[in-house]
Amino acid sequence: MTRRLLFITMMLGVIGLALPAKGETLTLSRRQCIAIALDSSPTIKVADLEVRRTEYARRETQAGLFPTIDFQAAYQRSIELQTIRMDMGGQSQSLKMGSDNTWNLGFNAQMPLINPTLWKAISISKTQILSQLESARSSRLNMIDQVNRSYYALLLAIASKDVIRQNYDRAVFNAGLYEKQFEAGTASEYDVLRSSVQVKNLEPELLQADIAVKQCKLSLQVLMGLDYNIDFVPDVTLEEMQLEMYGYTASDAMDLSGNSSLRQIDIQADIARKNVDLKKFAWIPTLGASFNVNWISLSNGNALKNQEFNPYSNVSLALNVPIFSGASKYYGLKQAEIQLKEVALQREDLLHSLAMQRDLAIDNINREVQQIASSAEGVREATKAYDIMQKSFEIGAASYLDLRDSELAHTSARLSYLQCIYNYLVSTSELDLLLGKELELR
């Protein structure tokens, strides 16, 4: 069993399904398709890794609050000792100072006590994690929308194929009826040929419909990372989707606060505000503490013999007061303030654009609801007209041309009805993406 097959087996086990045996077909709901896609998508995995990377970056910045401890060791060999001249009793004498070998080793510890810039940098790193989390959430929302569209397209392709299949079956039935009438002497050979040609003309349409179903299924398999050898079918038809369609705009809130782009720009604004504070904190003095403990050894001759290490240590405080830096801090602050204003303007423009998209999406959904109702009525009328014409044709009260016109009207009405349902479902998925609604995978 390959790794891919093992992964699919595990995922199907998580969602309560078993890997189908050879020749069997798996039945998947839309939610199950989404669950598989979210767990297998490389884009989602990269987004999750970015969250982890940002968390490690935050911890790296946070480590600046803790002491840093270093060990240092140094050896120095004197080539020529330092000479000093001293006057002693009116006589000048030269003395050599120092030693041939100098060993110095010890530990150094430093810790910031007051460092507002570091504190604000840690706060910014925490906000950056929220930005990556929202980016990962955005990737999930886009994946859900893509799976929804592919799933609905598969439902439409299957439903359209069923309509064409029924039309083909009726054509075959009518062709057989003409053959019987021809044998009985009540129909001409021309009528038999015309009805047979009609059957042949529908065969390419049926083949094209079958190809469309396979293409939609393949597209969905790619999104889910599902092996193409694993066959599956939806657990619902397109017409059955009406049961959970209506009342969407009336019962659901149209609040844009969940929109991923709006959330991300809010996080950017928060980071920009903290950057302004970070630039201001550059003028605040910093205070640090350090502690050193060392051992030193001085000797002459062999560097590895007769060493005597003597300890010495010290503790110190270091105060750093910024006074002048060529106005670099001032101009850095101005840049941060301008960036904050830019983000505020971008947010205002984005909010206006999202509000227009939401209102347009709601209008489209309401219009598509009306179109579904109108198309459903058209299907009922076309079905009734076709049934009447079919019976009339069977008793010889209607011509084949009249029957064919009725068939075309009936087929067109049904396909139009299915397209309206598909358009509605896609529009609701688009609105969910716009509003940032997350699907509960139960």
Side-chain angles (χ1 to χ4, degrees), residues 167-260:
N167 194 18
Y168 175 79
D169 292 340
R170 287 194 297 266
V172 171
F173 174 79
N174 291 328
L177 187 61
Y178 261 125
E179 289 181 0
K180 293 178 180 180
Q181 291 178 350
F182 176 73
E183 293 174 357
T186 58
S188 65
E189 184 179 4
Y190 172 75
D191 292 331
V192 173
L193 293 174
R194 184 171 59 177
S195 61
S196 178
V197 168
Q198 179 60 32
V199 173
K200 295 295 188 292
N201 289 339
L202 288 174
E203 289 177 353
E205 294 184 17
L206 189 61
L207 179 61
Q208 187 62 38
D210 185 63
I211 293 174
V213 171
K214 292 180 179 179
Q215 289 177 339
C216 291
K217 186 177 293 187
L218 179 61
S219 176
L220 191 53
Q221 285 176 316
V222 170
L223 288 175
M224 292 190 295
L226 197 64
D227 194 288
Y228 69 92
N229 290 322
I230 300 177
D231 192 20
F232 71 97
V233 293
D235 69 337
V236 66
T237 66
L238 189 65
E239 292 178 288
E240 290 172 348
M241 291 294 293
Q242 292 184 85
L243 299 177
E244 57 182 71
M245 280 172 37
Y246 301 114
Y248 180 91
T249 58
S251 61
D252 294 349
M254 297 295 120
D255 186 12
L256 288 170
S257 61
N259 179 267
S260 184

XYZ file of all heavy atoms in Angstrom, residues 167-260:
736
model
N -34.127 12.113 -22.437
C -34.487 12.569 -23.782
C -34.081 11.530 -24.823
O -34.815 11.259 -25.792
C -33.793 13.906 -24.052
C -34.373 14.624 -25.262
O -35.483 14.323 -25.703
N -33.620 15.554 -25.807
N -32.913 10.931 -24.596
C -32.450 9.881 -25.518
C -33.362 8.664 -25.454
O -33.708 8.085 -26.500
C -31.017 9.498 -25.145
C -30.455 8.356 -25.937
C -29.964 8.536 -27.227
C -30.427 7.066 -25.392
C -29.451 7.472 -27.947
C -29.909 6.000 -26.111
C -29.428 6.205 -27.387
O -28.924 5.147 -28.118
N -33.752 8.271 -24.247
C -34.643 7.117 -24.104
C -35.985 7.365 -24.792
O -36.564 6.452 -25.404
C -34.858 6.798 -22.627
C -33.584 6.290 -21.950
O -32.679 5.830 -22.684
O -33.498 6.358 -20.712
N -36.485 8.596 -24.664
C -37.763 8.917 -25.350
C -37.604 8.851 -26.867
O -38.514 8.394 -27.584
C -38.250 10.303 -24.921
C -38.791 10.356 -23.501
C -39.561 11.646 -23.287
N -38.704 12.819 -23.420
C -38.091 13.427 -22.410
N -38.236 12.938 -21.182
N -37.333 14.490 -22.616
N -36.432 9.332 -27.349
C -36.189 9.288 -28.794
C -36.136 7.841 -29.285
O -36.659 7.509 -30.359
C -34.888 10.019 -29.131
N -35.485 6.973 -28.477
C -35.428 5.556 -28.838
C -36.829 4.952 -28.836
O -37.188 4.153 -29.734
C -34.503 4.804 -27.846
C -34.605 3.292 -28.066
C -33.060 5.271 -28.000
N -37.644 5.330 -27.847
C -39.010 4.817 -27.769
C -39.834 5.258 -28.989
O -40.553 4.450 -29.599
C -39.675 5.310 -26.485
C -41.121 4.967 -26.378
C -41.534 3.693 -26.006
C -42.104 5.920 -26.667
C -42.885 3.379 -25.921
C -43.444 5.609 -26.577
C -43.841 4.337 -26.204
N -39.700 6.534 -29.343
C -40.464 7.048 -30.484
C -39.994 6.427 -31.795
O -40.799 6.175 -32.702
C -40.345 8.574 -30.556
C -41.069 9.250 -29.405
O -42.082 8.736 -28.923
N -40.553 10.388 -28.947
N -38.676 6.199 -31.897
C -38.163 5.546 -33.112
C -38.724 4.135 -33.225
O -39.114 3.679 -34.320
C -36.637 5.517 -33.087
N -38.803 3.438 -32.111
C -39.393 2.096 -32.115
C -40.868 2.131 -32.462
O -41.394 1.233 -33.139
N -41.544 3.177 -31.980
C -42.970 3.313 -32.287
C -43.189 3.522 -33.775
O -44.113 2.940 -34.380
C -43.542 4.485 -31.485
C -45.060 4.682 -31.557
C -45.796 3.460 -31.006
C -45.468 5.939 -30.786
N -42.322 4.335 -34.401
C -42.445 4.563 -35.845
C -42.182 3.279 -36.638
O -42.828 3.032 -37.663
C -41.453 5.651 -36.292
C -42.105 7.010 -36.437
C -41.605 8.115 -35.767
C -43.200 7.192 -37.278
C -42.175 9.363 -35.899
C -43.799 8.429 -37.425
C -43.282 9.512 -36.726
O -43.872 10.736 -36.865
N -41.244 2.492 -36.159
C -40.961 1.239 -36.859
C -42.178 0.305 -36.833
O -42.496 -0.357 -37.829
C -39.754 0.548 -36.214
C -38.430 1.250 -36.487
C -37.257 0.527 -35.850
O -37.502 -0.520 -35.189
O -36.112 0.982 -36.025
N -42.840 0.275 -35.682
C -44.046 -0.549 -35.589
C -45.137 -0.012 -36.496
O -45.859 -0.796 -37.161
C -44.538 -0.601 -34.154
C -43.589 -1.338 -33.209
C -44.111 -1.326 -31.779
C -43.152 -2.064 -30.844
N -43.642 -2.052 -29.432
N -45.280 1.320 -36.536
C -46.296 1.922 -37.405
C -45.958 1.691 -38.882
O -46.850 1.492 -39.718
C -46.409 3.416 -37.117
C -47.007 3.738 -35.752
C -47.067 5.235 -35.478
O -46.494 6.025 -36.225
N -47.750 5.602 -34.392
N -44.668 1.737 -39.191
C -44.240 1.494 -40.572
C -44.554 0.054 -40.988
O -45.012 -0.212 -42.107
C -42.750 1.785 -40.715
C -42.201 1.475 -42.073
C -42.495 2.289 -43.170
C -41.409 0.343 -42.277
C -41.987 1.992 -44.425
C -40.902 0.040 -43.529
C -41.186 0.862 -44.605
N -44.302 -0.872 -40.061
C -44.619 -2.268 -40.344
C -46.115 -2.477 -40.494
O -46.559 -3.343 -41.267
C -44.079 -3.158 -39.212
C -42.558 -3.196 -39.144
C -42.058 -3.954 -37.931
O -42.924 -4.394 -37.133
O -40.829 -4.114 -37.776
N -46.899 -1.641 -39.774
C -48.356 -1.749 -39.875
C -48.902 -0.968 -41.053
O -50.103 -1.016 -41.330
C -49.007 -1.260 -38.574
N -48.034 -0.211 -41.725
C -48.448 0.553 -42.888
C -49.068 1.884 -42.565
O -49.660 2.514 -43.455
N -48.905 2.365 -41.316
C -49.493 3.658 -40.930
C -48.457 4.773 -40.853
O -48.791 5.902 -40.502
C -50.186 3.534 -39.566
O -49.233 3.101 -38.581
C -51.343 2.554 -39.636
N -47.208 4.485 -41.157
C -46.160 5.508 -41.144
C -45.259 5.293 -42.347
O -45.103 4.168 -42.843
C -45.338 5.436 -39.856
N -44.672 6.388 -42.808
C -43.812 6.311 -43.984
C -42.377 5.962 -43.584
O -41.982 6.099 -42.420
C -43.828 7.651 -44.732
O -43.245 8.670 -43.926
N -41.611 5.547 -44.586
C -40.202 5.255 -44.331
C -39.448 6.513 -43.941
O -38.495 6.455 -43.150
C -39.583 4.609 -45.578
C -38.129 4.175 -45.353
C -37.541 3.517 -46.597
O -38.236 3.474 -47.632
O -36.380 3.061 -46.512
N -39.868 7.659 -44.447
C -39.230 8.936 -44.107
C -39.355 9.208 -42.607
O -38.396 9.660 -41.970
C -39.885 10.060 -44.913
C -39.417 11.431 -44.486
C -38.156 11.902 -44.840
C -40.242 12.241 -43.713
C -37.741 13.162 -44.429
C -39.826 13.503 -43.298
C -38.561 13.958 -43.675
O -38.141 15.194 -43.269
N -40.536 8.914 -42.054
C -40.720 9.124 -40.609
C -39.797 8.210 -39.800
O -39.246 8.620 -38.765
C -42.173 8.847 -40.225
C -43.117 9.889 -40.823
O -42.672 11.037 -41.014
O -44.274 9.538 -41.088
N -39.635 6.970 -40.274
C -38.746 6.042 -39.567
C -37.308 6.537 -39.608
O -36.593 6.529 -38.596
C -38.844 4.633 -40.188
C -37.802 3.700 -39.569
C -40.244 4.071 -40.020
N -36.875 7.003 -40.784
C -35.503 7.499 -40.916
C -35.274 8.756 -40.076
O -34.231 8.925 -39.459
C -35.198 7.781 -42.394
C -35.136 6.554 -43.311
C -34.970 6.973 -44.768
C -33.999 5.630 -42.885
N -36.263 9.653 -40.098
C -36.104 10.892 -39.334
C -35.992 10.609 -37.841
O -35.183 11.210 -37.149
C -37.286 11.814 -39.624
C -37.157 13.166 -38.959
C -38.215 14.113 -39.448
N -39.565 13.605 -39.202
C -40.674 14.284 -39.493
N -40.601 15.480 -40.070
N -41.863 13.757 -39.242
N -36.808 9.708 -37.323
C -36.737 9.382 -35.893
C -35.436 8.653 -35.551
O -34.869 8.835 -34.475
C -37.935 8.519 -35.497
O -37.938 7.305 -36.214
N -34.945 7.827 -36.491
C -33.672 7.135 -36.255
C -32.513 8.125 -36.241
O -31.577 7.996 -35.438
C -33.457 6.074 -37.338
O -32.213 5.435 -37.163
N -32.562 9.112 -37.149
C -31.518 10.145 -37.177
C -31.507 10.937 -35.871
O -30.450 11.305 -35.354
C -31.725 11.076 -38.390
C -30.834 12.313 -38.279
C -31.429 10.333 -39.684
N -32.700 11.165 -35.343
C -32.784 11.892 -34.077
C -32.079 11.135 -32.951
O -31.401 11.731 -32.111
C -34.257 12.120 -33.714
C -34.456 12.854 -32.405
C -33.804 14.231 -32.418
O -33.729 14.878 -33.455
N -33.327 14.664 -31.255
N -32.222 9.823 -32.930
C -31.515 9.007 -31.932
C -30.004 9.147 -32.109
O -29.264 9.323 -31.133
C -31.946 7.532 -32.038
C -31.086 6.658 -31.128
C -33.414 7.380 -31.688
N -29.540 9.080 -33.370
C -28.112 9.207 -33.634
C -27.597 10.592 -33.242
O -26.457 10.723 -32.772
C -27.837 8.948 -35.115
C -28.135 7.522 -35.563
C -27.198 6.532 -34.890
C -27.346 5.143 -35.479
N -28.650 4.545 -35.165
N -28.402 11.617 -33.439
C -27.972 12.979 -33.075
C -27.826 13.161 -31.563
O -27.034 13.984 -31.101
C -28.972 14.004 -33.612
C -28.919 14.134 -35.122
O -27.907 13.782 -35.750
N -29.994 14.633 -35.714
N -28.608 12.416 -30.787
C -28.551 12.543 -29.333
C -27.402 11.754 -28.715
O -27.004 12.036 -27.579
C -29.872 12.092 -28.710
C -31.061 13.033 -28.901
C -32.334 12.407 -28.355
C -30.793 14.366 -28.203
N -26.873 10.779 -29.427
C -25.787 9.973 -28.879
C -24.535 10.792 -28.579
O -23.924 10.617 -27.510
C -25.470 8.821 -29.832
C -26.562 7.749 -29.846
C -26.283 6.646 -30.845
O -25.291 6.794 -31.614
O -27.023 5.641 -30.879
N -24.083 11.720 -29.462
C -22.927 12.567 -29.093
C -23.203 13.451 -27.867
O -22.290 13.682 -27.059
C -22.695 13.418 -30.347
C -23.292 12.632 -31.461
C -24.485 11.950 -30.865
N -24.437 13.948 -27.743
C -24.775 14.758 -26.572
C -24.678 13.925 -25.291
O -24.197 14.412 -24.259
C -26.192 15.329 -26.720
C -26.342 16.325 -27.859
C -27.726 16.931 -27.891
O -28.449 16.830 -26.865
O -28.112 17.498 -28.929
N -25.127 12.686 -25.380
C -25.040 11.804 -24.217
C -23.582 11.504 -23.869
O -23.202 11.487 -22.688
C -25.793 10.503 -24.512
C -25.993 9.557 -23.328
C -26.810 10.225 -22.228
C -26.690 8.278 -23.801
N -22.769 11.310 -24.900
C -21.343 11.067 -24.669
C -20.673 12.295 -24.063
O -19.856 12.184 -23.139
C -20.668 10.684 -25.989
C -19.156 10.428 -25.929
C -18.845 9.270 -24.991
C -18.607 10.159 -27.333
N -21.016 13.490 -24.566
C -20.454 14.720 -24.029
C -20.872 14.935 -22.576
O -20.082 15.414 -21.755
C -20.903 15.908 -24.893
C -20.249 17.229 -24.529
C -18.743 17.205 -24.714
O -18.239 16.605 -25.666
N -18.028 17.840 -23.804
N -22.106 14.582 -22.261
C -22.571 14.703 -20.875
C -21.803 13.767 -19.957
O -21.468 14.128 -18.816
C -24.070 14.410 -20.806
N -21.500 12.573 -20.458
C -20.727 11.624 -19.654
C -19.297 12.130 -19.425
O -18.741 11.996 -18.327
C -20.703 10.271 -20.365
C -20.021 9.199 -19.533
O -20.538 8.887 -18.443
O -18.972 8.696 -19.969
N -18.709 12.753 -20.456
C -17.374 13.332 -20.317
C -17.386 14.477 -19.308
O -16.462 14.628 -18.500
C -16.859 13.823 -21.694
C -16.633 12.631 -22.629
C -15.578 14.627 -21.534
C -16.255 13.032 -24.039
N -18.433 15.292 -19.330
C -18.547 16.406 -18.387
C -18.595 15.912 -16.941
O -17.980 16.502 -16.050
C -19.790 17.239 -18.705
N -19.315 14.805 -16.722
C -19.378 14.227 -15.369
C -17.995 13.770 -14.930
O -17.559 14.036 -13.793
C -20.372 13.054 -15.326
C -20.278 12.320 -13.991
C -21.793 13.558 -15.544
N -17.255 13.111 -15.816
C -15.923 12.627 -15.469
C -14.973 13.784 -15.199
O -14.136 13.719 -14.282
C -15.390 11.741 -16.593
C -16.147 10.424 -16.751
C -15.576 9.578 -17.883
C -16.330 8.264 -18.010
N -15.805 7.428 -19.131
N -15.078 14.856 -15.986
C -14.207 16.013 -15.772
C -14.486 16.687 -14.436
O -13.557 17.053 -13.706
C -14.389 17.013 -16.916
C -13.803 16.548 -18.244
C -14.064 17.522 -19.374
O -14.985 18.342 -19.317
N -13.271 17.435 -20.432
N -15.765 16.843 -14.096
C -16.120 17.448 -12.809
C -15.667 16.567 -11.651
O -15.188 17.067 -10.622
C -17.627 17.680 -12.733
S -18.225 18.955 -13.852
N -15.801 15.270 -11.816
C -15.370 14.346 -10.769
C -13.850 14.399 -10.596
O -13.335 14.387 -9.469
C -15.832 12.927 -11.106
C -15.562 11.916 -10.003
C -16.123 10.554 -10.385
C -17.647 10.581 -10.453
N -18.209 9.224 -10.658
N -13.122 14.484 -11.708
C -11.664 14.567 -11.653
C -11.219 15.858 -10.971
O -10.271 15.856 -10.167
C -11.080 14.478 -13.061
C -9.552 14.570 -13.181
C -8.900 13.429 -12.410
C -9.121 14.555 -14.648
N -11.896 16.955 -11.273
C -11.572 18.230 -10.637
C -11.737 18.152 -9.121
O -10.905 18.654 -8.361
C -12.464 19.335 -11.209
O -12.239 20.564 -10.550
N -12.804 17.505 -8.695
C -13.045 17.352 -7.259
C -12.022 16.401 -6.637
O -11.575 16.615 -5.499
C -14.464 16.834 -7.032
C -15.000 16.853 -5.599
C -14.869 18.230 -4.986
C -16.447 16.388 -5.579
N -11.639 15.351 -7.353
C -10.627 14.431 -6.846
C -9.283 15.130 -6.661
O -8.565 14.864 -5.694
C -10.474 13.250 -7.802
C -11.612 12.241 -7.729
C -11.471 11.144 -8.765
O -11.150 11.410 -9.922
N -11.719 9.912 -8.372
N -8.948 16.040 -7.577
C -7.694 16.789 -7.464
C -7.706 17.653 -6.208
O -6.718 17.724 -5.463
C -7.462 17.648 -8.726
C -6.298 18.605 -8.511
C -7.200 16.762 -9.933
N -8.819 18.332 -5.950
C -8.923 19.170 -4.760
C -8.813 18.341 -3.484
O -8.215 18.779 -2.495
C -10.253 19.931 -4.764
C -10.389 21.075 -5.766
C -11.801 21.634 -5.734
C -9.380 22.169 -5.466
N -9.386 17.150 -3.501
C -9.353 16.298 -2.311
C -8.057 15.497 -2.186
O -7.792 14.925 -1.139
C -10.543 15.318 -2.333
C -11.894 15.979 -2.171
S -13.201 14.751 -1.916
C -13.170 13.877 -3.482
N -7.259 15.456 -3.261
C -6.083 14.609 -3.239
C -6.454 13.139 -3.247
O -5.705 12.300 -2.757
N -7.615 12.840 -3.815
C -8.129 11.476 -3.833
C -7.585 10.743 -5.047
O -7.527 11.296 -6.147
C -9.658 11.494 -3.869
C -10.396 10.216 -3.491
C -10.144 9.857 -2.047
C -11.895 10.385 -3.741
N -7.174 9.508 -4.854
C -6.647 8.704 -5.944
C -7.721 8.530 -7.016
O -8.886 8.265 -6.716
C -6.199 7.336 -5.414
C -5.332 6.594 -6.427
O -5.890 6.131 -7.442
O -4.117 6.499 -6.200
N -7.304 8.695 -8.277
C -8.285 8.625 -9.363
C -8.879 7.230 -9.523
O -9.916 7.048 -10.174
C -7.645 9.083 -10.678
C -6.595 8.146 -11.220
C -6.940 7.151 -12.127
C -5.261 8.261 -10.851
C -5.990 6.281 -12.632
C -4.301 7.402 -11.347
C -4.666 6.427 -12.240
O -3.708 5.576 -12.740
N -8.221 6.228 -8.947
C -8.764 4.869 -9.023
C -9.926 4.658 -8.059
O -10.642 3.664 -8.151
C -7.656 3.857 -8.714
C -6.619 3.778 -9.827
O -6.973 3.847 -11.004
N -5.354 3.663 -9.461
N -10.094 5.559 -7.085
C -11.197 5.460 -6.131
C -12.408 6.180 -6.700
O -12.412 7.403 -6.828
C -10.800 6.054 -4.772
C -9.587 5.316 -4.195
C -11.958 6.000 -3.792
C -9.092 5.886 -2.883
N -13.426 5.440 -7.052
C -14.636 6.032 -7.624
C -15.573 6.467 -6.501
O -15.631 5.853 -5.433
C -15.346 5.032 -8.532
C -16.431 5.697 -9.366
O -16.371 6.939 -9.518
O -17.328 4.988 -9.841
N -16.294 7.557 -6.737
C -17.229 8.055 -5.736
C -18.396 8.743 -6.437
O -18.308 9.139 -7.605
C -16.536 9.034 -4.774
C -16.195 10.349 -5.402
C -17.030 11.452 -5.258
C -15.029 10.503 -6.145
C -16.720 12.662 -5.845
C -14.708 11.712 -6.723
C -15.560 12.788 -6.574
N -19.486 8.889 -5.683
C -20.672 9.599 -6.172
C -21.164 10.507 -5.050
O -20.949 10.224 -3.871
C -21.790 8.630 -6.596
C -21.374 7.823 -7.820
C -22.175 7.718 -5.445
N -21.839 11.604 -5.388
C -22.430 12.458 -4.348
C -23.563 11.742 -3.640
O -24.200 10.842 -4.192
C -22.931 13.674 -5.137
C -22.210 13.636 -6.441
C -21.976 12.192 -6.731
N -23.829 12.152 -2.412
C -24.903 11.513 -1.638
C -26.231 12.236 -1.800
O -27.206 11.906 -1.116
C -24.521 11.477 -0.151
C -24.507 12.852 0.478
O -24.361 13.859 -0.268
O -24.654 12.943 1.716
N -26.286 13.216 -2.707
C -27.490 14.011 -2.897
C -27.560 14.436 -4.360
O -26.538 14.487 -5.052
C -27.470 15.252 -1.960
C -26.356 16.204 -2.364
C -28.812 15.962 -1.933
N -28.771 14.700 -4.833
C -28.940 15.218 -6.189
C -29.079 16.735 -6.135
O -29.299 17.327 -5.074
C -30.188 14.620 -6.859
O -31.362 15.069 -6.159
C -30.124 13.097 -6.849
N -28.943 17.347 -7.291
C -29.033 18.811 -7.350
C -30.413 19.292 -6.940
O -30.546 20.291 -6.222
C -28.700 19.289 -8.767
C -28.544 20.803 -8.936
C -27.353 21.309 -8.136
C -28.368 21.167 -10.414
N -31.458 18.574 -7.358
C -32.820 18.992 -7.009
C -33.097 18.804 -5.516
O -33.866 19.555 -4.920
C -33.825 18.195 -7.846
C -33.772 18.560 -9.322
C -34.735 17.746 -10.151
O -34.461 16.547 -10.349
O -35.745 18.309 -10.604
N -32.457 17.813 -4.895
C -32.635 17.613 -3.454
C -31.975 18.712 -2.628
O -32.311 18.899 -1.458
C -32.067 16.245 -3.042
C -32.878 15.074 -3.558
C -32.197 13.746 -3.297
O -31.002 13.746 -2.922
O -32.847 12.692 -3.483
N -31.037 19.439 -3.231
C -30.369 20.520 -2.518
C -31.325 21.663 -2.182
O -31.024 22.501 -1.336
C -29.211 21.068 -3.352
C -28.039 20.115 -3.508
S -27.173 19.790 -1.962
C -26.461 21.392 -1.633
N -32.484 21.678 -2.826
C -33.468 22.743 -2.537
C -33.952 22.690 -1.091
O -34.382 23.702 -0.543
C -34.674 22.595 -3.473
C -34.378 22.886 -4.921
C -35.639 22.805 -5.751
O -36.388 23.762 -5.853
N -35.871 21.641 -6.327
N -33.870 21.538 -0.473
C -34.381 21.388 0.886
C -33.646 22.280 1.872
O -34.209 22.666 2.902
C -34.266 19.915 1.320
C -35.047 18.910 0.467
C -34.775 17.500 0.960
C -36.537 19.224 0.504
N -32.379 22.625 1.608
C -31.609 23.476 2.516
C -31.247 24.813 1.884
O -30.336 25.488 2.318
C -30.315 22.766 2.914
C -29.442 22.359 1.752
C -28.197 21.623 2.205
O -28.334 20.468 2.655
O -27.110 22.209 2.127
N -32.008 25.205 0.861
C -31.650 26.417 0.138
C -32.335 27.667 0.660
O -31.695 28.637 1.042
C -31.981 26.251 -1.360
C -30.942 25.456 -2.112
S -31.429 25.061 -3.807
C -32.283 26.518 -4.334
N -33.642 27.651 0.717
C -34.393 28.895 0.904
C -34.294 29.407 2.331
O -34.071 28.663 3.278
C -35.852 28.691 0.497
C -35.990 28.263 -0.946
C -36.475 27.004 -1.279
C -35.579 29.107 -1.967
C -36.575 26.607 -2.602
C -35.677 28.724 -3.286
C -36.177 27.478 -3.601
O -36.264 27.090 -4.905
N -34.500 30.696 2.468
C -34.422 31.332 3.775
C -33.009 31.722 4.162
O -32.764 32.146 5.283
N -32.070 31.608 3.237
C -30.672 31.902 3.532
C -30.486 33.363 3.927
O -29.931 33.665 4.977
C -29.826 31.588 2.301
C -28.350 31.853 2.482
C -27.501 30.864 2.943
C -27.802 33.095 2.194
C -26.162 31.098 3.117
C -26.459 33.349 2.371
C -25.646 32.338 2.820
O -24.314 32.585 3.003
N -30.948 34.259 3.099
C -30.712 35.681 3.359
C -31.546 36.200 4.516
O -31.197 37.192 5.131
C -31.037 36.504 2.101
O -32.403 36.263 1.720
C -30.119 36.121 0.962
N -32.644 35.552 4.817
C -33.508 36.056 5.883
C -33.008 35.643 7.263
O -33.169 36.376 8.233
C -34.935 35.546 5.670
N -32.379 34.479 7.352
C -32.011 33.961 8.665
C -30.557 34.195 9.029
O -30.194 34.137 10.192
C -32.303 32.453 8.716
O -31.528 31.781 7.732
N -29.699 34.439 8.052
C -28.272 34.566 8.325
C -27.865 36.028 8.412
O -28.335 36.874 7.646
C -27.449 33.876 7.227
C -27.669 32.375 7.229
O -28.277 31.892 8.198
O -27.233 31.716 6.282
N -26.981 36.321 9.360
C -26.477 37.683 9.523
C -25.537 38.019 8.375
O -24.800 37.181 7.886
C -25.754 37.813 10.859
N -25.575 39.279 7.963
C -24.749 39.739 6.855
C -23.586 40.583 7.350
O -23.125 41.495 6.680
C -25.601 40.541 5.859
C -26.698 39.730 5.205
S -26.047 38.407 4.156
C -26.769 36.980 4.953
N -23.119 40.310 8.571
C -22.029 41.064 9.169
C -20.722 40.738 8.452
O -20.399 39.578 8.211
C -21.920 40.712 10.655
C -20.900 41.580 11.363
O -20.461 42.589 10.765
O -20.546 41.253 12.504
N -19.947 41.780 8.118
C -18.696 41.609 7.391
C -17.497 41.410 8.313
O -16.372 41.295 7.826
C -18.442 42.829 6.488
C -19.332 42.969 5.259
C -19.142 44.324 4.615
C -19.048 41.858 4.252
N -17.735 41.377 9.607
C -16.612 41.271 10.542
C -15.835 39.965 10.390
O -14.680 39.875 10.805
C -17.113 41.398 11.987
O -18.034 40.365 12.293
N -16.456 38.952 9.804
C -15.765 37.687 9.607
C -14.979 37.616 8.312
O -14.287 36.626 8.070
N -15.077 38.657 7.466
C -14.349 38.645 6.203
C -12.845 38.574 6.461
O -12.294 39.344 7.244
C -14.678 39.892 5.391
C -13.938 39.945 4.071
O -12.876 40.519 3.978
N -14.511 39.334 3.056
N -12.176 37.661 5.786
C -10.759 37.421 6.053
C -9.898 38.619 5.663
O -8.965 38.979 6.384
C -10.292 36.171 5.302
O -8.958 35.860 5.622
